[in-house]
Amino acid sequence: MDGCKERLKHSIYFRLALALSVAIISMALVAGAFSFYSAFEEAHELQDDLLSQVAAFVQNQPAAALALMELNGKRDDDSDLVIQLLAPRGKAAKRSLPIPDHLKDGKHTLKLRGDTYRVLIRTLRDGQRIAVAQETEVRDDIAQDSAFLTVLPLLILAPTLLLVVTYLLRKMLRPVAQLAAEVDARNEQALHPLQTVNLSSEIQPFVNAINRLLGRVGGAMESQRR
């Protein structure tokens, strides 16, 4: 552990990799949270629109309203929607939800039979009132699945960026390692200048300083020989 701390303290590579990794992960978390929340809320809005579309269909189709008198409170298995008349004549169906008949037209969130429902109330042209309901647990599951799909690309992108950053840092710092290997391979008599071709501008001054030092050492040794 101490060795890792010491290496991190003195290594440009590790400090750059750590800083960039923290930045990438932080941005991915922020962007992911924002995307998840936005997609979650948008999915709920689309589900509210679905309730409105079903109510509009019933309102524009008189035959559908008559059918509701017989199929009051039936649940649609595909969308988990419950469509029923409020305060129907006669005995209500056993599976109908106990939605209060005094609610105003519009969207409501109600606790019914231990479960929470999103309910849309609408008055038909003939004065009858319908309720289109959907259980909020089902809505939340659909919204979460939709939101997760929007976050999934970020979950894949963040590790990919970390790998790319690591590769690029290694590639950019590779000339330094090559220069170090070249200097280590020389003997004490090899004082010719280091190659400066294709060096980055950040490393160039350092290599030039080493070459000037090698020149001074070579001059001093030549003076001693004379």
Side-chain angles (χ1 to χ4, degrees):
M1 181 63 71
D2 293 337
C4 292
K5 290 182 178 179
E6 192 67 19
R7 191 174 185 183
L8 181 60
K9 180 180 178 181
H10 298 287
S11 172
I12 295 177
Y13 169 77
F14 277 97
R15 281 185 288 177
L16 279 174
L18 178 61
L20 292 173
S21 299
V22 170
I24 290 173
I25 293 174
S26 300
M27 292 300 296
L29 290 175
V30 172
F34 178 77
S35 298
F36 185 90
Y37 176 79
S38 300
F40 190 81
E41 291 300 317
E42 185 177 355
H44 275 168
E45 292 178 1
L46 291 175
Q47 289 165 336
D48 282 346
D49 292 340
L50 174 62
L51 299 181
S52 299
Q53 291 171 6
V54 172
F57 173 77
V58 175
Q59 188 175 29
N60 295 327
Q61 299 291 332
L66 295 175
L68 286 176
M69 297 292 291
E70 300 177 359
L71 301 178
N72 189 39
K74 296 292 185 180
R75 180 186 294 269
D76 179 70
D77 295 332
D78 294 331
S79 59
D80 290 304
L81 292 176
V82 177
I83 307 172
Q84 69 181 53
L85 293 172
L86 292 182
R89 298 176 182 177
K91 187 177 180 180
K94 294 182 179 180
R95 285 185 287 179
S96 62
L97 296 174
I99 300 174
D101 57 1
H102 59 78
L103 293 176
K104 296 181 179 180
D105 284 10
K107 299 180 180 70
H108 308 271
T109 301
L110 305 175
K111 192 80 171 180
L112 305 171
R113 292 179 176 173
D115 296 320
T116 305
Y117 284 82
R118 185 67 167 170
V119 181
L120 172 65
I121 307 297
R122 178 166 293 184
T123 302
L124 303 179
R125 293 188 181 93
D126 58 2
Q128 295 185 101
R129 306 181 72 218
I130 65 167
V132 183
Q134 186 179 37
E135 193 173 349
T136 56
E137 183 178 356
V138 175
R139 290 162 55 91
D140 290 342
D141 290 341
I142 296 173
Q144 287 175 2
D145 291 341
S146 176
F148 178 74
L149 291 177
T150 64
V151 178
L152 185 59
L154 289 175
L155 298 178
I156 298 174
L157 182 61
T160 303
L161 285 177
L162 291 177
L163 293 176
V164 171
V165 166
T166 302
Y167 169 77
L168 291 177
L169 286 176
R170 287 184 179 276
K171 183 177 181 180
M172 287 186 292
L173 294 176
R174 190 175 300 162
V176 178
Q178 293 173 345
L179 285 173
E182 181 183 346
V183 173
D184 286 338
R186 290 188 176 190
N187 56 42
E188 63 276 6
Q189 302 298 325
L191 298 177
H192 56 275
L194 298 173
Q195 295 291 332
T196 59
V197 180
N198 297 327
L199 289 179
S200 63
S201 58
E202 290 80 9
I203 302 176
Q204 188 78 45
F206 180 68
V207 175
N208 292 337
I210 292 178
N211 286 338
R212 289 193 293 270
L213 176 61
L214 291 175
R216 291 195 295 272
V217 171
M221 292 180 64
E222 183 66 23
S223 297
Q224 288 180 356
R225 282 196 294 270
R226 287 198 299 268

